[in-house]
Protein backbone atom coordinates (compact mmCIF):
# COMPACT_ATOMS: atom_id res chain seq x y z
CA UNK A 1 0.00 0.00 0.00
CA UNK A 2 1.64 3.30 -1.05
CA UNK A 3 1.87 6.36 1.22
CA UNK A 4 -1.29 8.49 0.88
CA UNK A 5 -0.89 11.34 -1.64
CA UNK A 6 -2.19 13.85 0.92
CA UNK A 7 1.00 13.35 2.94
CA UNK A 8 3.32 14.14 0.02
CA UNK A 9 4.27 17.71 -0.74
CA UNK A 10 6.70 18.37 -3.64
CA UNK A 11 8.45 21.66 -2.82
CA UNK A 12 10.19 22.40 -6.12
CA UNK A 13 9.77 21.55 -9.79
CA UNK A 14 13.24 20.13 -10.55
CA UNK A 15 13.62 16.88 -12.55
CA UNK A 16 15.14 13.75 -11.00
CA UNK A 17 18.90 13.28 -11.59
CA UNK A 18 19.52 11.05 -14.61
CA UNK A 19 22.66 9.29 -13.34
CA UNK A 20 21.69 9.07 -9.68
CA UNK A 21 23.36 6.64 -7.28
CA UNK A 22 20.65 6.62 -4.58
CA UNK A 23 17.59 8.29 -3.11
CA UNK A 24 18.34 10.52 -0.14
CA UNK A 25 16.04 10.72 2.89
CA UNK A 26 16.96 13.71 5.06
CA UNK A 27 15.43 12.99 8.45
CA UNK A 28 14.79 16.28 10.21
CA UNK A 29 11.89 15.55 12.55
CA UNK A 30 10.87 11.92 12.13
CA UNK A 31 14.04 10.30 13.36
CA UNK A 32 12.74 6.73 13.41
CA UNK A 33 12.15 3.67 11.26
CA UNK A 34 8.79 2.44 12.62
CA UNK A 35 5.71 4.23 11.33
CA UNK A 36 7.55 6.82 9.25
CA UNK A 37 5.71 7.75 6.04
CA UNK A 38 8.59 9.89 4.79
CA UNK A 39 11.02 6.99 5.04
CA UNK A 40 8.50 4.68 3.36
CA UNK A 41 7.97 7.13 0.52
CA UNK A 42 11.72 7.53 0.05
CA UNK A 43 12.02 3.71 -0.06
CA UNK A 44 9.19 3.55 -2.63
CA UNK A 45 11.00 6.04 -4.88
CA UNK A 46 14.27 4.17 -4.46
CA UNK A 47 12.73 0.80 -5.28
CA UNK A 48 10.87 2.19 -8.30
CA UNK A 49 14.18 3.52 -9.66
CA UNK A 50 16.08 0.33 -8.61
CA UNK A 51 18.36 2.42 -6.41
CA UNK A 52 19.44 2.07 -2.80
CA UNK A 53 18.38 4.47 -0.07
CA UNK A 54 20.61 6.67 2.05
CA UNK A 55 19.34 8.23 5.28
CA UNK A 56 21.07 11.44 6.35
CA UNK A 57 20.74 12.81 9.87
CA UNK A 58 22.52 15.93 11.08
CA UNK A 59 22.78 17.69 14.41
CA UNK A 60 24.17 21.22 14.51
CA UNK A 61 25.41 23.34 17.38
CA UNK A 62 23.82 26.46 15.90
CA UNK A 63 20.13 26.08 16.69
CA UNK A 64 18.62 28.54 19.15
CA UNK A 65 19.52 27.69 22.77
CA UNK A 66 21.45 24.55 21.78
CA UNK A 67 22.40 22.81 25.01
CA UNK A 68 23.46 19.54 26.65
CA UNK A 69 19.90 18.52 27.47
CA UNK A 70 18.60 18.69 23.93
CA UNK A 71 21.78 17.37 22.29
CA UNK A 72 21.90 14.40 24.68
CA UNK A 73 18.28 13.45 24.07
CA UNK A 74 18.78 13.64 20.30
CA UNK A 75 22.05 11.70 20.33
CA UNK A 76 20.53 8.97 22.51
CA UNK A 77 18.27 8.12 19.58
CA UNK A 78 21.09 7.73 17.06
CA UNK A 79 22.51 4.23 17.75
CA UNK A 80 19.10 2.53 17.66
CA UNK A 81 18.01 4.51 14.61
CA UNK A 82 21.22 3.70 12.74
CA UNK A 83 20.84 -0.03 13.50
CA UNK A 84 17.21 -0.03 12.33
CA UNK A 85 18.05 1.82 9.10
CA UNK A 86 20.88 -0.61 8.35
CA UNK A 87 18.63 -3.59 9.06
CA UNK A 88 16.46 -2.37 6.17
CA UNK A 89 19.46 -2.51 3.84
CA UNK A 90 19.67 1.30 3.62
CA UNK A 91 22.73 3.47 4.30
CA UNK A 92 23.00 5.85 7.24
CA UNK A 93 25.17 8.95 7.51
CA UNK A 94 25.22 11.00 10.70
CA UNK A 95 27.07 14.27 11.02
CA UNK A 96 27.55 16.21 14.25
CA UNK A 97 28.42 19.82 13.53
CA UNK A 98 30.39 20.55 16.68
CA UNK A 99 31.32 24.17 15.97
CA UNK A 100 30.02 26.81 13.56
CA UNK A 101 33.30 26.39 11.64
CA UNK A 102 32.52 22.74 10.81
CA UNK A 103 31.10 21.82 7.41
CA UNK A 104 27.53 23.00 6.87
CA UNK A 105 27.00 21.60 3.38
CA UNK A 106 26.66 17.85 4.01
CA UNK A 107 23.10 17.77 2.69
CA UNK A 108 24.13 19.45 -0.58
CA UNK A 109 27.13 17.14 -1.00
CA UNK A 110 24.96 14.08 -0.43
CA UNK A 111 22.30 15.47 -2.77
CA UNK A 112 24.90 15.77 -5.55
CA UNK A 113 24.52 12.03 -6.28
CA UNK A 114 20.86 11.64 -5.35
CA UNK A 115 17.83 11.09 -7.55
CA UNK A 116 15.80 13.31 -5.23
CA UNK A 117 15.63 14.40 -1.59
CA UNK A 118 12.76 13.29 0.60
CA UNK A 119 12.34 15.00 3.97
CA UNK A 120 9.83 15.63 6.77
CA UNK A 121 6.99 18.11 6.47
CA UNK A 122 6.97 20.03 9.75
CA UNK A 123 5.53 23.47 10.47
CA UNK A 124 7.87 24.99 13.10
CA UNK A 125 11.47 25.67 14.02
CA UNK A 126 14.44 24.61 11.90
CA UNK A 127 12.67 22.12 9.64
CA UNK A 128 10.08 24.63 8.47
CA UNK A 129 12.87 27.12 7.66
CA UNK A 130 14.84 24.46 5.76
CA UNK A 131 11.76 23.39 3.84
CA UNK A 132 11.31 26.99 2.71
CA UNK A 133 14.92 27.74 1.79
CA UNK A 134 16.53 24.48 0.61
CA UNK A 135 14.28 23.37 -2.31
CA UNK A 136 15.25 26.32 -4.55
CA UNK A 137 18.96 25.56 -4.02
CA UNK A 138 18.70 21.99 -5.35
CA UNK A 139 18.59 20.80 -8.96
CA UNK A 140 16.64 17.65 -8.03
CA UNK A 141 13.14 17.16 -6.56
CA UNK A 142 12.72 18.03 -2.89
CA UNK A 143 9.69 16.33 -1.41
CA UNK A 144 8.34 16.86 2.12
CA UNK A 145 6.22 14.08 3.64
CA UNK A 146 3.90 14.51 6.60
CA UNK A 147 4.38 11.75 9.13
CA UNK A 148 3.76 14.04 12.11
CA UNK A 149 -0.01 13.83 12.13
CA UNK A 150 -2.53 11.00 11.97
CA UNK A 151 -4.69 12.99 9.54
CA UNK A 152 -2.30 14.78 7.17
CA UNK A 153 -2.01 18.53 7.73
CA UNK A 154 -2.91 19.14 4.07
CA UNK A 155 -6.47 17.94 4.75
CA UNK A 156 -7.15 21.31 6.42
CA UNK A 157 -7.19 24.15 3.91
CA UNK A 158 -7.19 26.96 6.48
CA UNK A 159 -6.55 27.83 10.09
CA UNK A 160 -9.25 26.40 12.34
CA UNK A 161 -10.88 28.50 15.06
CA UNK A 162 -10.74 25.82 17.69
CA UNK A 163 -11.09 22.16 18.58
CA UNK A 164 -14.81 22.38 17.80
CA UNK A 165 -14.14 23.18 14.14
CA UNK A 166 -11.30 20.75 13.47
CA UNK A 167 -12.76 17.83 15.46
CA UNK A 168 -15.52 16.89 12.96
CA UNK A 169 -13.09 17.21 10.05
CA UNK A 170 -10.56 14.96 11.74
CA UNK A 171 -13.17 12.40 12.72
CA UNK A 172 -14.48 12.37 9.16
CA UNK A 173 -10.98 11.49 7.90
CA UNK A 174 -9.98 8.96 10.55
CA UNK A 175 -11.32 5.87 8.75
CA UNK A 176 -8.89 6.62 5.89
CA UNK A 177 -5.80 7.72 7.77
CA UNK A 178 -5.97 6.05 11.18
CA UNK A 179 -4.39 2.88 9.79
CA UNK A 180 -0.88 1.45 10.27
CA UNK A 181 1.87 3.02 8.20
CA UNK A 182 3.12 0.65 5.47
CA UNK A 183 6.50 -1.06 6.01
CA UNK A 184 9.45 0.30 4.00
CA UNK A 185 10.93 -2.12 1.49
CA UNK A 186 14.01 -1.84 -0.72
CA UNK A 187 15.22 -3.86 -3.67
CA UNK A 188 18.83 -2.59 -3.72
CA UNK A 189 21.29 -2.77 -0.85
CA UNK A 190 23.31 0.23 0.24
CA UNK A 191 27.09 0.32 -0.30
CA UNK A 192 29.26 3.05 1.36
CA UNK A 193 31.31 3.25 -1.86
CA UNK A 194 28.39 5.26 -3.29
CA UNK A 195 29.05 8.22 -0.99
CA UNK A 196 30.35 11.28 -2.84
CA UNK A 197 33.91 12.51 -2.29
CA UNK A 198 34.67 15.48 -0.06
CA UNK A 199 32.29 14.68 2.78
CA UNK A 200 33.34 15.50 6.32
CA UNK A 201 33.98 12.46 8.48
CA UNK A 202 30.73 10.82 9.63
CA UNK A 203 30.19 10.85 13.40
CA UNK A 204 29.95 7.48 15.12
CA UNK A 205 27.57 7.61 18.06
CA UNK A 206 27.41 4.91 20.73
CA UNK A 207 25.59 5.00 24.07
CA UNK A 208 29.01 5.27 25.74
CA UNK A 209 30.47 8.20 23.76
CA UNK A 210 27.45 10.54 23.96
CA UNK A 211 28.69 12.60 26.96
CA UNK A 212 32.07 13.09 25.23
CA UNK A 213 30.44 14.13 21.94
CA UNK A 214 28.18 16.58 23.75
CA UNK A 215 31.18 18.03 25.61
CA UNK A 216 32.95 18.68 22.29
CA UNK A 217 30.09 20.82 20.95
CA UNK A 218 30.01 24.61 21.14
CA UNK A 219 26.69 24.70 23.00
CA UNK A 220 25.42 25.75 26.42
CA UNK A 221 26.78 23.15 28.83
CA UNK A 222 24.98 24.60 31.85
CA UNK A 223 21.64 22.96 30.97
CA UNK A 224 22.04 19.39 32.17
CA UNK A 225 20.32 16.34 30.62
CA UNK A 226 16.86 15.49 31.89
CA UNK A 227 16.74 13.42 35.08
CA UNK A 228 13.75 11.53 33.73
CA UNK A 229 13.73 11.08 29.96
CA UNK A 230 16.18 9.26 27.71
CA UNK A 231 15.91 9.65 23.94
CA UNK A 232 15.29 6.85 21.45
CA UNK A 233 12.52 4.70 20.01
CA UNK A 234 13.08 1.82 22.46
CA UNK A 235 12.53 4.07 25.49
CA UNK A 236 9.51 5.71 23.88
CA UNK A 237 7.98 2.33 23.09
CA UNK A 238 8.57 1.17 26.64
CA UNK A 239 6.80 4.29 27.97
CA UNK A 240 3.96 3.65 25.54
CA UNK A 241 3.56 0.00 26.57
CA UNK A 242 3.55 0.86 30.27
CA UNK A 243 1.13 3.69 29.63
CA UNK A 244 -1.44 1.62 27.77
CA UNK A 245 -1.20 -1.32 30.15
CA UNK A 246 -1.11 0.55 33.46
CA UNK A 247 -2.50 4.05 33.00
CA UNK A 248 -4.73 4.39 29.97
CA UNK A 249 -7.86 3.02 31.68
CA UNK A 250 -7.61 5.74 34.35
CA UNK A 251 -6.48 8.53 32.01
CA UNK A 252 -9.97 10.05 31.70
CA UNK A 253 -10.38 10.20 35.48
CA UNK A 254 -6.84 10.98 36.68
CA UNK A 255 -5.09 12.91 33.92
CA UNK A 256 -5.56 16.23 35.76
CA UNK A 257 -4.12 14.89 39.02
CA UNK A 258 -0.34 15.16 38.58
CA UNK A 259 0.49 13.07 41.64
CA UNK A 260 -1.27 10.06 40.05
CA UNK A 261 1.02 9.96 37.00
CA UNK A 262 -1.79 8.94 34.68
CA UNK A 263 -0.57 10.63 31.49
CA UNK A 264 1.75 9.13 28.88
CA UNK A 265 4.72 11.53 29.25
CA UNK A 266 5.39 10.86 25.57
CA UNK A 267 5.64 14.49 24.41
CA UNK A 268 9.50 14.61 24.30
CA UNK A 269 9.68 11.57 21.97
CA UNK A 270 6.73 12.77 19.93
CA UNK A 271 8.43 16.12 19.47
CA UNK A 272 11.71 14.67 18.23
CA UNK A 273 9.88 12.08 16.13
CA UNK A 274 11.43 9.16 17.99
CA UNK A 275 7.94 7.66 17.97
CA UNK A 276 4.97 8.56 15.78
CA UNK A 277 1.64 9.81 17.05
CA UNK A 278 0.03 7.27 14.71
CA UNK A 279 1.82 4.37 16.41
CA UNK A 280 0.87 5.73 19.85
CA UNK A 281 -2.76 6.27 18.83
CA UNK A 282 -3.11 2.80 17.32
CA UNK A 283 -1.58 1.17 20.38
CA UNK A 284 -3.95 3.05 22.70
CA UNK A 285 -7.03 2.39 20.58
CA UNK A 286 -6.27 -1.32 20.16
CA UNK A 287 -5.37 -1.96 23.79
CA UNK A 288 -8.53 -0.20 24.97
CA UNK A 289 -10.66 -2.11 22.48
CA UNK A 290 -9.13 -5.42 23.50
CA UNK A 291 -9.85 -4.65 27.15
CA UNK A 292 -13.35 -3.31 26.67
CA UNK A 293 -12.90 0.35 27.37
CA UNK A 294 -12.32 3.32 25.07
CA UNK A 295 -9.31 5.57 24.74
CA UNK A 296 -11.43 8.54 23.60
CA UNK A 297 -10.10 11.14 26.05
CA UNK A 298 -6.50 10.25 25.26
CA UNK A 299 -7.11 10.22 21.50
CA UNK A 300 -8.81 13.61 21.76
CA UNK A 301 -5.56 15.07 23.16
CA UNK A 302 -3.19 13.12 20.94
CA UNK A 303 -5.06 13.58 17.68
CA UNK A 304 -7.56 16.46 17.86
CA UNK A 305 -5.68 18.84 20.19
CA UNK A 306 -2.24 18.01 18.85
CA UNK A 307 -3.34 18.33 15.23
CA UNK A 308 -5.14 21.58 15.99
CA UNK A 309 -1.71 22.83 17.07
CA UNK A 310 -0.10 21.62 13.83
CA UNK A 311 -2.89 23.29 11.88
CA UNK A 312 -2.27 26.57 13.71
CA UNK A 313 1.48 26.41 13.09
CA UNK A 314 1.05 25.49 9.43
CA UNK A 315 -1.05 28.56 8.72
CA UNK A 316 0.85 30.97 11.00
CA UNK A 317 4.23 32.00 9.68
CA UNK A 318 5.44 33.68 12.92
CA UNK A 319 3.69 31.96 15.83
CA UNK A 320 5.91 33.66 18.42
CA UNK A 321 3.92 36.87 18.69
CA UNK A 322 0.63 38.03 20.18
CA UNK A 323 -0.29 39.57 16.80
CA UNK A 324 -1.49 36.15 15.60
CA UNK A 325 -4.21 35.94 18.26
CA UNK A 326 -7.89 36.26 17.36
CA UNK A 327 -9.23 39.83 17.47
CA UNK A 328 -11.20 39.39 20.69
CA UNK A 329 -7.98 38.39 22.52
CA UNK A 330 -5.97 41.29 21.11
CA UNK A 331 -8.72 43.75 22.04
CA UNK A 332 -9.07 42.56 25.63
CA UNK A 333 -5.29 42.44 26.09
CA UNK A 334 -5.00 46.01 24.76
CA UNK A 335 -7.65 47.24 27.22
CA UNK A 336 -5.69 45.67 30.10
CA UNK A 337 -2.17 46.38 28.87
CA UNK A 338 -1.49 49.01 31.55
CA UNK A 339 -3.25 47.29 34.46
CA UNK A 340 -1.22 47.30 37.62
CA UNK A 341 0.29 43.88 38.39
CA UNK A 342 0.19 42.80 42.03
CA UNK A 343 3.66 41.28 41.67
CA UNK A 344 6.14 41.38 38.82
CA UNK A 345 9.02 38.96 38.34
CA UNK A 346 12.00 39.15 36.02
CA UNK A 347 13.00 36.40 33.60
CA UNK A 348 15.73 35.31 36.04
CA UNK A 349 13.32 35.07 38.96
CA UNK A 350 10.99 32.89 36.92
CA UNK A 351 13.88 30.82 35.62
CA UNK A 352 15.23 30.18 39.13
CA UNK A 353 11.78 29.34 40.52
CA UNK A 354 11.90 32.32 42.88
CA UNK A 355 8.28 33.40 43.05
CA UNK A 356 6.13 33.62 46.20
CA UNK A 357 4.06 30.63 45.00
CA UNK A 358 5.24 27.15 46.09
CA UNK A 359 3.17 25.36 43.49
CA UNK A 360 4.41 27.56 40.66
CA UNK A 361 8.00 27.11 41.82
CA UNK A 362 7.53 23.33 41.86
CA UNK A 363 6.21 23.45 38.27
CA UNK A 364 9.24 25.46 37.20
CA UNK A 365 11.56 23.02 38.99
CA UNK A 366 9.87 20.16 37.18
CA UNK A 367 10.73 21.94 33.92
CA UNK A 368 14.33 22.50 35.08
CA UNK A 369 14.85 18.91 36.20
CA UNK A 370 12.62 16.73 34.03
CA UNK A 371 12.31 18.89 30.91
CA UNK A 372 8.51 19.15 30.87
CA UNK A 373 5.67 20.07 33.21
CA UNK A 374 2.56 18.04 33.86
CA UNK A 375 -0.16 19.21 31.44
CA UNK A 376 -2.65 20.49 34.00
CA UNK A 377 -0.13 22.44 36.04
CA UNK A 378 1.45 23.70 32.84
CA UNK A 379 -1.72 25.71 32.22
CA UNK A 380 -1.39 27.21 35.70
CA UNK A 381 2.32 27.83 35.13
CA UNK A 382 1.58 29.75 31.90
CA UNK A 383 -1.33 31.76 33.28
CA UNK A 384 0.79 32.89 36.23
CA UNK A 385 3.72 33.97 34.04
CA UNK A 386 1.17 36.11 32.25
CA UNK A 387 -0.21 37.51 35.50
CA UNK A 388 3.20 38.29 37.02
CA UNK A 389 5.08 39.73 34.03
CA UNK A 390 5.55 43.42 33.30
CA UNK A 391 3.67 43.18 30.00
CA UNK A 392 1.76 40.53 28.08
CA UNK A 393 4.40 40.52 25.35
CA UNK A 394 7.15 40.01 27.93
CA UNK A 395 5.22 37.07 29.42
CA UNK A 396 5.05 35.42 26.00
CA UNK A 397 8.77 35.95 25.47
CA UNK A 398 9.58 34.48 28.90
CA UNK A 399 7.50 31.36 28.33
CA UNK A 400 8.98 30.71 24.90
CA UNK A 401 12.52 31.28 26.18
CA UNK A 402 12.04 28.90 29.12
CA UNK A 403 10.65 26.29 26.73
CA UNK A 404 13.49 26.77 24.23
CA UNK A 405 16.09 26.21 26.91
CA UNK A 406 14.57 23.60 29.20
CA UNK A 407 11.65 21.78 27.54
CA UNK A 408 12.40 18.53 25.73
CA UNK A 409 9.07 18.96 23.97
CA UNK A 410 9.64 22.67 23.21
CA UNK A 411 9.84 24.36 19.76
CA UNK A 412 6.90 22.19 18.80
CA UNK A 413 3.63 23.34 17.22
CA UNK A 414 2.20 22.39 20.61
CA UNK A 415 4.58 24.79 22.35
CA UNK A 416 3.47 27.93 20.53
CA UNK A 417 -0.19 26.96 20.35
CA UNK A 418 -0.46 26.13 24.02
CA UNK A 419 1.54 29.12 25.21
CA UNK A 420 -0.77 31.28 23.09
CA UNK A 421 -3.72 29.39 24.60
CA UNK A 422 -2.79 31.18 27.84
CA UNK A 423 -3.55 34.39 25.90
CA UNK A 424 -6.89 33.09 24.61
CA UNK A 425 -6.03 31.18 21.42
CA UNK A 426 -8.57 28.39 20.74
CA UNK A 427 -10.43 29.44 23.90
CA UNK A 428 -13.48 31.67 24.47
CA UNK A 429 -14.13 34.87 26.41
CA UNK A 430 -14.71 34.53 30.17
CA UNK A 431 -15.60 37.11 32.84
CA UNK A 432 -13.67 40.39 32.87
CA UNK A 433 -10.85 40.84 35.43
CA UNK A 434 -7.62 42.86 35.79
CA UNK A 435 -4.59 41.95 33.67
CA UNK A 436 -6.47 39.03 32.05
CA UNK A 437 -9.40 40.99 30.65
CA UNK A 438 -11.75 38.35 29.26
CA UNK A 439 -9.11 35.63 29.18
CA UNK A 440 -9.57 32.50 31.29
CA UNK A 441 -8.09 32.87 34.77
CA UNK A 442 -6.61 30.11 36.93
CA UNK A 443 -6.07 30.42 40.67
CA UNK A 444 -3.82 28.70 43.18
CA UNK A 445 -6.87 28.00 45.36
CA UNK A 446 -8.52 26.26 42.43
CA UNK A 447 -5.46 24.06 42.00
CA UNK A 448 -5.50 23.21 45.72
CA UNK A 449 -9.19 22.35 45.58
CA UNK A 450 -8.95 20.18 42.51
CA UNK A 451 -5.56 18.51 42.91
CA UNK A 452 -3.16 17.27 45.55
CA UNK A 453 -0.71 20.14 45.28
CA UNK A 454 1.22 19.09 48.38
CA UNK A 455 1.95 15.61 46.99
CA UNK A 456 3.32 17.19 43.82
CA UNK A 457 5.41 19.76 45.72
CA UNK A 458 6.89 16.92 47.80
CA UNK A 459 7.62 14.82 44.74
CA UNK A 460 9.47 17.66 43.04
CA UNK A 461 11.36 18.54 46.23
CA UNK A 462 12.57 14.93 46.43
CA UNK A 463 13.61 15.03 42.79
CA UNK A 464 15.61 18.17 43.43
CA UNK A 465 17.19 16.92 46.65
CA UNK A 466 18.10 13.44 45.48
CA UNK A 467 18.76 14.05 41.78
CA UNK A 468 16.71 10.88 41.21
CA UNK A 469 13.29 10.55 39.68
CA UNK A 470 11.31 7.86 41.46
CA UNK A 471 8.93 7.81 38.50
CA UNK A 472 11.60 7.32 35.86
CA UNK A 473 10.87 4.29 33.71
CA UNK A 474 13.98 2.17 33.45
CA UNK A 475 14.78 0.67 30.05
C1 LIG B 1 1.75 26.80 28.67
C2 LIG B 1 1.77 25.46 28.01
C3 LIG B 1 2.88 25.05 27.29
C4 LIG B 1 2.89 23.82 26.64
N1 LIG B 1 4.00 23.47 25.93
C5 LIG B 1 4.02 22.28 25.27
C6 LIG B 1 5.17 21.90 24.54
O1 LIG B 1 6.17 22.63 24.49
N2 LIG B 1 5.15 20.72 23.88
C7 LIG B 1 4.08 19.88 23.95
O2 LIG B 1 4.11 18.80 23.34
N3 LIG B 1 2.98 20.22 24.64
C8 LIG B 1 2.91 21.38 25.31
N4 LIG B 1 1.80 21.72 26.03
C9 LIG B 1 0.61 20.85 25.96
C10 LIG B 1 0.53 19.75 27.03
O3 LIG B 1 0.76 20.30 28.28
C11 LIG B 1 1.54 18.64 26.76
O4 LIG B 1 1.40 18.16 25.44
C12 LIG B 1 1.36 17.45 27.71
O5 LIG B 1 1.42 17.90 29.03
C13 LIG B 1 2.46 16.42 27.46
O6 LIG B 1 2.44 15.44 28.44
P1 LIG B 1 2.02 13.96 28.11
O7 LIG B 1 2.82 13.47 26.96
O8 LIG B 1 2.04 13.20 29.37
O9 LIG B 1 0.52 14.19 27.62
P2 LIG B 1 -0.70 13.17 27.51
O10 LIG B 1 -1.80 13.71 28.35
O11 LIG B 1 -0.27 11.79 27.74
O12 LIG B 1 -1.15 13.35 26.00
C14 LIG B 1 -0.56 12.62 24.93
C15 LIG B 1 -0.11 13.58 23.87
O13 LIG B 1 -1.21 14.33 23.39
C16 LIG B 1 -0.77 15.64 23.06
N5 LIG B 1 -1.42 16.62 23.94
C17 LIG B 1 -1.75 16.50 25.24
N6 LIG B 1 -2.32 17.64 25.69
C18 LIG B 1 -2.34 18.49 24.65
C19 LIG B 1 -2.81 19.82 24.47
N7 LIG B 1 -3.38 20.53 25.45
N8 LIG B 1 -2.67 20.38 23.25
C20 LIG B 1 -2.11 19.71 22.24
N9 LIG B 1 -1.65 18.45 22.35
C21 LIG B 1 -1.77 17.85 23.54
C22 LIG B 1 0.73 15.68 23.31
O14 LIG B 1 1.39 15.36 22.10
C23 LIG B 1 0.91 14.59 24.35
O15 LIG B 1 2.20 14.06 24.40
C24 LIG B 1 1.77 22.96 26.72
C25 LIG B 1 0.66 23.36 27.47
C26 LIG B 1 0.65 24.59 28.09
C27 LIG B 1 -0.57 25.00 28.87
Amino acid sequence: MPVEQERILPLNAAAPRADAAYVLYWTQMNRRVPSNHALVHAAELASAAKLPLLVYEGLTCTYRAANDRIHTFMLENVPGFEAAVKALGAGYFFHLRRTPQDANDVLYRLASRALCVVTDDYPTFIASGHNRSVPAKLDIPYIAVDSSCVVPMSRQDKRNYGAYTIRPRIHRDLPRFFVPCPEPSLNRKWDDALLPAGLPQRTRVTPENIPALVAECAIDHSVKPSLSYTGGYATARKHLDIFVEEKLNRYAKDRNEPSRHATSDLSPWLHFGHISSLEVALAARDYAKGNRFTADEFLEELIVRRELAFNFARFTEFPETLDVLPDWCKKTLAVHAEDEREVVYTYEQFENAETHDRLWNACQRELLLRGKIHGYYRMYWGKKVMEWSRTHAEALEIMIRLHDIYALDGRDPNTYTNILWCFGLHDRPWGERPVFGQLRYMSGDGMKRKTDTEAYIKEIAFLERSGKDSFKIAV
Side-chain angles (χ1 to χ4, degrees), residues 89-378:
Y92 178 84
F93 191 95
F94 180 80
H95 181 242
L96 180 66
R97 191 168 168 231
R98 293 169 173 83
T99 70
Q101 292 72 44
D102 288 357
N104 193 22
D105 60 353
V106 180
L107 172 76
Y108 297 98
R109 286 184 184 274
L110 293 172
S112 69
R113 297 205 72 193
L115 182 82
C116 59
V117 176
V118 176
T119 193
D120 305 319
D121 188 2
Y122 192 81
T124 54
F125 203 51
I126 294 186
S128 69
H130 282 152
N131 291 353
R132 272 196 292 269
S133 65
V134 175
K137 297 186 199 154
L138 291 174
D139 57 356
I140 51 173
Y142 183 94
I143 305 151
V145 179
D146 176 0
S147 196
S148 295
C149 292
V150 174
V151 173
M153 286 178 271
S154 71
R155 293 291 295 158
Q156 314 300 329
D157 54 8
K158 57 178 187 307
R159 185 172 142 182
N160 276 264
Y161 288 107
Y164 72 99
T165 59
I166 204 170
R167 188 178 296 112
R169 290 158 165 260
I170 285 183
H171 280 278
R172 183 193 62 205
D173 279 348
L174 283 180
R176 253 194 84 203
F177 297 105
F178 193 12
V179 292
C181 176
E183 294 287 322
S185 108
L186 291 164
N187 55 22
R188 293 290 184 278
K189 252 187 128 38
W190 173 257
D191 179 348
D192 269 350
L194 296 172
L195 287 172
L199 285 171
Q201 212 181 7
R202 62 176 10 141
T203 315
R204 298 283 175 198
V205 184
T206 63
E208 295 71 33
N209 75 357
I210 291 171
L213 289 175
V214 170
E216 284 164 24
C217 292
I219 56 176
D220 178 356
H221 296 299
S222 71
V223 184
K224 298 300 170 208
S226 161
L227 289 180
S228 312
Y229 307 119
T230 307
Y233 173 76
T235 337
R237 185 68 221 194
K238 177 115 188 229
H239 266 76
L240 171 58
D241 291 342
I242 291 178
F243 171 68
V244 294
E245 284 162 26
E246 296 176 12
K247 304 178 180 185
L248 180 59
N249 65 354
R250 55 188 175 92
Y251 182 85
K253 183 163 75 64
D254 289 344
R255 73 189 139 142
N256 284 348
E257 174 49 76
S259 66
R260 300 227 174 98
H261 291 270
T263 71
S264 72
D265 283 328
L266 282 167
S267 57
W269 294 278
L270 286 168
H271 170 64
F272 285 108
H274 296 177
I275 195 161
S276 82
S277 63
L278 176 59
E279 179 174 347
V280 173
L282 285 167
R285 184 198 65 184
D286 293 348
Y287 185 87
K289 206 167 154 198
N291 289 278
R292 300 204 184 155
F293 62 97
T294 70
D296 292 354
E297 289 79 4
F298 180 67
L299 296 177
E300 162 76 12
E301 299 300 333
L302 180 67
I303 304 180
V304 175
R305 295 281 165 177
R306 182 170 177 275
E307 295 185 12
L308 176 64
F310 275 75
N311 168 259
F312 170 74
R314 187 178 182 86
F315 288 100
T316 310
E317 201 176 341
F318 301 107
E320 301 182 27
T321 136
L322 298 176
D323 298 340
V324 298
L325 288 171
D327 283 344
W328 74 267
C329 306
K330 286 194 273 194
K331 277 190 197 137
T332 199
L333 287 172
V335 170
H336 293 272
E338 309 290 327
D339 287 2
E340 197 178 326
R341 274 70 173 158
E342 275 181 19
V343 280
V344 170
Y345 295 111
T346 61
Y347 171 81
E348 288 71 24
Q349 287 171 309
F350 282 121
E351 181 180 43
N352 297 326
E354 287 168 355
T355 76
H356 63 280
D357 179 331
R358 289 166 67 236
L359 175 61
W360 193 92
N361 293 344
C363 295
Q364 174 62 16
R365 289 199 183 100
E366 182 175 21
L367 180 63
L368 297 177
L369 299 167
R370 286 195 174 127
K372 76 189 264 295
I373 309 172
H374 184 280
Y376 193 46
Y377 284 165
R378 210 164 184 172

